[in-house]
């Protein structure tokens, strides 16, 4: 049976790869994409989501525009990382003739008051916090919530302690984590401890291109800028593709391991956006998160390539050597 999923995102280069992976996964039906201000302003993220759907030939999937700024902090985009068009300066043509009346939170409220759906959030959590403020019950009806964000032992990527999605809107992340405590559920936190292991290297990209030039060239077009950014700032040859790991983990939770814990998101000053993981239970609070700390990187790339290239595992005979 296929599972219904909503992807909340801020495309974004790695968000786009995540959407491509999700749309190529037969186990799930993406019933909507909600966009939030993050990597790119929300209007740009909306346009970029359309460009990805067009490439995937899936403009049937509805996209809803969400919040245009964080709850309290000023909006700071990440176009320095994702390029001036938010898609690695690929400057893909605008997709015309596709508008939505409903906002992201209206859509989420409408769906979730009818049925329980899973959500994979790969951007700042502003849309979800807004949903809690608007209709708590709707949020509570999310059956499984996977969030790319935060970090446990790994250093931050936009401050020494904070990962971008939670740094961008720490109040929103804090509200979501508190709500999980309130309803006694756990959010599945795919943070930098695991995503930093997922590096798309030039060799892997070349392999993708050899197997499917259309998909490979598209990925190359949107990741070139990201490669350059990673070389300059992280001294990595390749790029960390955080968001597709949230999709892979959603599809196969065995790909990551970790532990359940109480987690609080800090909102102020130098600890803004930090995920305070009470791994040793000092606070004696019930777990509200599953914190993933280890990942089977090879399995991720098998899953990623199988899906985006529509190949069987035995057709990826060179992959093992490249990982
Ligand atoms: C997260 O921030 C964004 O730049 C990426 O799209 C990802 O969701 C990584 O910190
Ligand atoms: Ca993202």
């Amino acid at each position: 049976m296929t599972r219904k999923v909503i992807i909340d995102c801020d495309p974004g280069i790695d968000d786009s790869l995540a959407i491509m992976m999700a749309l190529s996964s037969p186990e799930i039906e993406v019933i909507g994409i909600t966009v939030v201000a993050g990597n790119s302003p929300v209007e740009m993220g909306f346009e970029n989501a359309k460009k990805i759907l067009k490439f995937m030939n899936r403009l049937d999937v509805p996209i809803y525009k969400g919040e245009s700024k964080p709850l309290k902090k000023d909006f700071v985009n990440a176009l320095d990382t994702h390029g001036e068009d938010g898609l690695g300066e690929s400057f893909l043509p605008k997709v015309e003739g596709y508008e939505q009346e409903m906002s992201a939170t209206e859509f989420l409220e409408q769906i979730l008051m009818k049925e329980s759906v899973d959500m994979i959030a790969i951007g700042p959590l502003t849309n979800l916090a807004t949903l809690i403020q608007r209709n708590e019950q709707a949020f509570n009806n999310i059956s499984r919530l996977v969030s790319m964000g935060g970090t446990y032992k790994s250093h931050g990527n936009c401050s020494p302690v904070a990962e971008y999605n939670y740094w961008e809107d720490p109040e929103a992340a804090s509200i979501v984590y508190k709500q999980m405590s309130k309803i006694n559920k756990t959010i599945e936190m795919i943070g930098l401890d695991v995503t930093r292991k997922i590096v798309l290297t030039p060799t892997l990209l070349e392999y993708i291109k050899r197997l499917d030039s259309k998909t490979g060239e598209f990925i190359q077009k949107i990741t070139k800028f990201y490669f350059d950014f990673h070389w300059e700032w992280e001294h990595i040859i390749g790029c960390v593709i955080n968001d597709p790991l949230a999709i892979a983990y959603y599809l196969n939770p065995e790909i990551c391991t970790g532990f359940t814990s109480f987690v609080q998101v800090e909102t102020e000053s130098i600890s803004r956006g930090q995920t305070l993981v009470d791994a040793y239970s000092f606070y004696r609070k019930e777990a509200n998160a599953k914190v993933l700390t280890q990942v089977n990187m090879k399995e991720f790339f098998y899953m990623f390539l199988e899906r985006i290239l529509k190949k069987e595992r035995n057709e990826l005979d060179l992959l093992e050597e490249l990982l």
Side-chain angles (χ1 to χ4, degrees):
M1 206 179 81
T2 57
R3 287 173 285 164
K4 289 186 181 177
V5 177
I6 297 168
I7 299 178
D8 187 57
C9 58
D10 59 337
I13 297 169
D14 55 338
D15 297 79
S16 301
L17 298 176
I19 294 170
M20 288 168 70
M21 184 177 186
L23 293 176
S24 317
S25 296
E27 309 90 324
I28 57 179
E29 183 195 351
V30 180
I31 59 167
I33 293 176
T34 52
V35 180
V36 66
N39 292 323
S40 34
V42 71
E43 288 288 341
M44 188 188 279
F46 178 70
E47 293 301 325
N48 287 343
K50 286 196 276 181
K51 291 175 184 177
I52 300 304
L53 292 191
K54 175 138 178 45
F55 176 75
M56 298 298 288
N57 209 6
R58 288 299 309 275
L59 279 165
D60 59 297
V61 177
I63 312 171
Y64 302 92
K65 243 176 270 172
E67 301 305 306
S68 60
K69 55 181 174 45
L71 294 183
K72 288 198 175 147
K73 304 283 191 270
D74 290 338
F75 173 53
V76 183
N77 66 46
L79 297 181
D80 59 333
T81 316
H82 293 260
E84 69 174 87
D85 63 349
L87 267 188
E89 305 193 348
S90 53
F91 300 115
L92 296 167
K94 184 171 173 7
V95 179
E96 304 286 353
Y98 179 108
E99 282 309 324
Q100 282 299 339
E101 296 297 316
M102 226 187 270
S103 74
T105 34
E106 281 166 346
F107 163 71
L108 291 173
E109 181 178 27
Q110 198 188 75
I111 288 284
L112 288 161
M113 290 310 284
K114 272 199 316 223
E115 57 185 317
S116 298
V117 173
D118 294 337
M119 284 202 63
I120 309 175
I122 53 178
L125 295 176
T126 324
N127 286 344
L128 289 177
T130 307
L131 180 67
I132 294 170
Q133 291 170 339
R134 183 187 167 103
N135 184 336
E136 221 178 300
Q137 189 54 50
F139 175 88
N140 297 350
N141 288 348
I142 298 172
S143 25
R144 206 178 144 199
L145 175 56
V146 175
S147 161
M148 190 282 128
T151 187
Y152 172 46
K153 293 251 162 120
S154 195
H155 58 285
N157 62 358
C158 61
S159 89
V161 295
E163 176 283 329
Y164 173 75
N165 288 336
Y166 293 1
W167 179 90
E168 175 70 31
D169 193 346
E171 280 80 11
S174 169
I175 288 172
V176 168
Y177 276 73
K178 282 188 181 142
Q179 187 68 16
M180 297 309 277
S181 284
K182 188 170 169 190
I183 59 176
N184 218 1
K185 285 189 176 174
T186 49
I187 184 169
E188 295 163 77
M189 183 184 125
I190 295 286
L192 296 176
D193 302 273
V194 279
T195 65
R196 276 216 162 91
K197 308 270 163 48
I198 307 297
V199 180
L200 178 68
T201 61
T203 324
L204 279 172
L205 182 54
E206 189 58 32
Y207 185 50
I208 294 173
K209 275 167 52 189
R210 299 277 166 174
L211 293 179
D212 174 346
S213 58
K214 184 171 172 243
T215 304
E217 274 156 27
F218 183 79
I219 294 178
Q220 183 170 44
K221 211 181 231 178
I222 65 172
T223 55
K224 165 132 192 1
F225 187 94
Y226 215 28
F227 271 56
D228 295 341
F229 174 89
H230 278 80
W231 172 246
E232 194 179 337
W233 291 95
E234 305 233 351
H235 220 58
I236 290 175
I237 299 184
C239 60
V240 176
I241 50 171
N242 307 276
D243 294 339
L245 182 60
I247 308 291
Y249 169 77
Y250 173 80
L251 293 164
N252 175 12
E254 288 180 7
I255 198 173
C256 295
T257 55
F259 57 92
T260 56
S261 173
F262 171 72
V263 176
Q264 175 172 311
V265 182
E266 296 301 309
T267 57
E268 298 306 330
S269 140
I270 55 169
S271 52
R272 167 178 173 172
Q274 180 175 17
T275 32
L276 193 155
V277 178
D278 187 17
Y280 300 97
S281 205
F282 286 103
Y283 299 155
R284 302 273 180 267
K285 290 197 177 177
E286 288 295 320
N288 60 351
K290 175 147 196 201
V291 180
L292 285 315
T293 54
Q294 304 288 327
V295 56
N296 183 341
M297 177 273 283
K298 289 189 175 182
E299 184 57 28
F300 167 81
F301 276 108
Y302 273 105
M303 286 180 73
F304 184 61
L305 266 62
E306 272 167 6
R307 283 146 206 273
I308 58 161
L309 301 176
K310 302 210 173 358
K311 298 272 181 211
E312 296 296 328
R313 197 159 285 221
N314 60 11
E315 294 175 276
L316 301 171
D317 51 349
L318 201 64
L319 185 56
E320 184 69 29
E321 278 178 45
L322 305 180
L323 295 171

